Amino acid sequence: MRRWTSLPGGVKFLIGVGLLFLVLFVANSTLNRYVLHVIILIGIYSVATTSLNLTNGYTGLFSLGHAGFMAVGAYVATLLTFPVRLRIAYNLPLLPHFLGGPDYQWPFLPALIVGGLVAAVAALLVGAPVLRLRGHYLSVASLGFMVIITTLAKGLKDLTRGAAGIQAIPRYTDIWWVYAWLVVTIYVIWRLLNSSYGRAMLAIRESETAAQAQGIHPMRYKLLSFVIGAFFAGIAGGLYAHFARSIRPYEFSFYMTFHIVIMLIIGGAGTLLGPTVGAAIVVALKYVLKPVEEGLGIYGLVEIVYALMLIGVMLWRPEGIAGGVNPLRFLVARKGERR
Amino acid sequence: MDGGPLLQIEGLSKAFGGLWAVRDYRLALPEGVIYGLIGPNGAGKTTIFNLITGFLKPSGGRIVFAGTDITGWRPDRIAHLGIARTFQILQLYRALTVQMNLEIAHHKHTRYGLFSALTGLPLYRRQEREVRDRVGEFLELFGLTRYRNVRVGTLPYGLQRKLDIACALATEPRLLLLDEPSCGMNPREAEELAQLIRQMKARFSLTLVVVEHRMPFIMGLAERIQVLDHGVLISEGTPEEVRNDPKVIEAYLGVEDAVA
Ligand SMILES: Nc1ncnc2c1ncn2[C@@H]1O[C@H](COP(=O)(O)OP(=O)(O)OP(=O)(O)O)[C@@H](O)[C@H]1O
Ligand SMILES: [Mg+2]
């Protein structure tokens, strides 16, 4: 144990990634499609929750607009990768020349990244006014942004097919894509936390006044965390679209946002791996309880269990499930806490 | 600019609604001295600190620091110029460790970009090593090394106050503003604090303005003292002069009369 804790962070990270992919490899070659489906969903939600953690957990900005950024990423990536042949059949626009022209469809990776970037730009535009607000006002305003996005997705029929949504999206997302992006997301946040940028974000969470007196411009770091969070939310959205193969505006709304927020709180806001733990618990629980729900005919059982878990965690384990587990403490310790 | 006062304030005023919290305040603070700022509750002392450090925008007047007019600047820009402060009510990062509090306080001295931070380029690694070394020095200096991994919220109050000053110094300021640093200390601790402040002043060639209620403390520490009452400067001079100024006695007695 002492040996392990004295290893440099980079080595620990690499070992962790190695183990993760070993486990995934074994899982991928032994488990059935249904379980793998759940594992992929856990990965996608982990990316979403980990990116929400940057604003809500580390910078202390309780944003509720995350599903909006996921929608932006999902729609942008989908519009870029959508096969030319189907575009005509589905009445979707062909790509303009500066995006490759009418005969072009994008490969998955650049489409995902552009989806993330557009979400990041949206965060930059929205953040400038919204992040001036505090506490509940910020939460409500960010929720308002999400409503605007879903309304746009419904309204811009020529671009999104409106409420009907887009179907027949190519299924590019697999277990490797998802978990590679999860590793990238966690890596970026981990590096950030070990730099003056992440420290400034934590400072703002703890005392904006003290941070300012020490030369930190809060808006700069609030925007930065919001924009980086939105980028990875956009990626999660793109991964989701190319996994579910269909997207509709209402999917990216209150329900999804609250799901992600619940994952964050249950797993442990402000911890590096808490979001992944939370996503795993919440998604797995859903698939375990679904048959029970149907068997017993108690519809809404899943939601009730979520609500009870949320209350339980907030009462007895406010740092989240991953916030206090000792063997994993080094991985999940809130930055700057005793390890 | 050189040879002139480090901090020059003229006609500084601040109104909250109809109330003048500070009116026509002036200060010519030479480099390398300790000034005391005293006055009854609500006299406007904290408001003056807030105006100097940009947390409040003045209703009128001018603040010039080291030759730069900083009137109306943002707090973080003023901090970058070299003014640090502590707060009457402690503003520490309570959920974070002592070490992290000091690392954050050192923020304005790191200059690497986001890309360096994400990729761990040599520039980032060198500056982070510098931050850790510097924080190590401050921990030593303030006798906080054994608490480095302790969450600040769990520290005893006296150590929190000490850390608060350590953090202000870790920004490496030229001018340090302390708002009631001895608040909540017993006389022995207050004496130790005065000693510490003198040491720090010499070591970092600081200039200080200290707001205090504890008379013996400030009379022993400050070279010159300003007295404020109802936002107005009523006296200025050496501790001896101020102590014997009838206007000062009246201001303080007046308060007691009101209480009695
Ligand atoms: N943000 C504010 N809004 C409105 N009034 C304020 C504000 N800050 C201070 N005041 C008022 O300005 C006056 C001066 O307050 P200030 O805090 O500067 O006094 P002080 O000398 O620091 O007092 P104390 O010794 O109690 O700390 C008080 O009447 C106070 O109520
Ligand atoms: Mg005060």
Side-chain angles (χ1 to χ4, degrees), chain A residues 187 191 194-197 199 202-203 206-207 209-217 221 319 335-338, chain B residues 55 74 76 79-80 87 91 93-97 100 103-105 107 110 112-114 117-118 124 128 149 151:
Chain A
Y187 175 83
R191 293 306 318 163
N194 282 294
S195 76
S196 62
Y197 293 88
R199 289 197 294 265
L202 290 167
E206 295 292 316
S207 166
T209 306
Q212 281 177 287
Q214 292 170 351
I216 293 167
H217 184 30
Y221 294 95
E319 298 197 340
K335 183 66 202 170
E337 259 179 28
R338 184 179 206 119
Chain B
F55 283 91
R74 275 198 331 252
D76 56 286
H80 274 270
F87 293 87
Q91 293 286 336
Y93 309 121
R94 294 176 58 84
L96 309 181
T97 59
M100 272 291 262
E103 284 179 9
I104 294 169
H107 177 89
T110 46
Y112 51 78
L114 192 57
L118 294 184
Y124 158 85
E128 281 298 300
N149 291 322
R151 274 221 235 180

Side-chain angles (χ1 to χ4, degrees), chain B residues 16 19 21 40-47 88 180 213:
Chain B
F16 293 114
L19 171 91
N41 286 110
K45 306 177 295 290
T46 299
T47 303
Q88 193 167 350
E180 301 200 20
H213 272 303

Side-chain angles (χ1 to χ4, degrees), chain B residues 6-23:
Chain B
L6 179 64
L7 182 68
Q8 174 112 40
I9 300 177
E10 284 152 18
L12 188 66
S13 301
K14 179 69 189 179
F16 293 114
L19 171 91
W20 289 95
V22 174
R23 195 156 197 180

Side-chain angles (χ1 to χ4, degrees), chain A residues 81-315:
Chain A
T81 60
F82 210 69
V84 174
R85 203 165 32 78
L86 291 175
R87 271 174 211 268
I88 296 159
Y90 276 87
N91 247 331
L92 278 170
L94 296 168
L95 290 177
H97 279 285
F98 75 98
L99 290 176
D103 295 329
Y104 190 65
Q105 68 197 52
W106 286 47
F108 192 32
L109 182 62
L112 270 181
I113 291 174
V114 171
L117 288 176
V118 175
V121 171
L124 199 63
L125 298 176
V126 173
V130 166
L131 298 180
R132 272 172 220 291
L133 304 169
R134 274 162 209 279
H136 303 310
Y137 297 99
L138 186 149
S139 305
V140 172
S142 60
L143 207 54
F145 156 75
M146 191 195 72
V147 173
I148 292 173
I149 291 294
T150 23
T151 310
L152 281 178
K154 264 185 230 150
L156 298 173
K157 290 203 173 66
D158 294 341
L159 207 58
T160 64
R161 290 174 33 89
I166 304 175
Q167 288 80 38
I169 302 168
R171 175 170 255 165
Y172 291 141
T173 300
D174 61 17
I175 201 166
W176 309 116
W177 276 108
V178 169
Y179 282 87
W181 273 109
L182 179 58
V183 166
V184 171
T185 312
I186 292 175
Y187 175 83
V188 165
I189 290 175
W190 174 64
R191 293 306 318 163
L192 219 51
L193 290 174
N194 282 294
S195 76
S196 62
Y197 293 88
R199 289 197 294 265
M201 292 170 192
L202 290 167
I204 291 165
R205 179 187 79 191
E206 295 292 316
S207 166
E208 203 168 321
T209 306
Q212 281 177 287
Q214 292 170 351
I216 293 167
H217 184 30
M219 196 55 183
R220 188 173 164 211
Y221 294 95
K222 285 182 183 177
L223 257 185
L224 185 68
S225 71
F226 202 52
V227 165
I228 295 177
F231 173 79
F232 287 108
I235 297 288
L239 288 169
Y240 178 80
H242 292 83
F243 176 66
R245 302 198 58 208
S246 82
I247 47 176
R248 289 181 193 82
Y250 67 80
E251 280 178 283
F252 301 97
S253 64
F254 300 102
Y255 196 69
M256 187 180 262
T257 278
F258 285 122
H259 253 80
I260 299 168
V261 169
I262 288 172
M263 291 171 190
L264 181 62
I265 293 172
I266 287 179
T271 65
L272 195 54
L273 295 188
T276 304
V277 173
I281 291 172
V282 170
V283 174
L285 210 61
K286 183 182 192 125
Y287 282 86
V288 170
L289 288 179
K290 256 250 153 72
V292 180
E293 197 178 68
E294 273 156 24
L296 297 175
I298 314 171
Y299 293 97
L301 179 68
V302 180
E303 277 71 25
I304 293 171
V305 171
Y306 286 166
L308 290 178
M309 274 184 73
L310 197 61
I311 294 169
V313 164
M314 297 210 287
L315 279 178

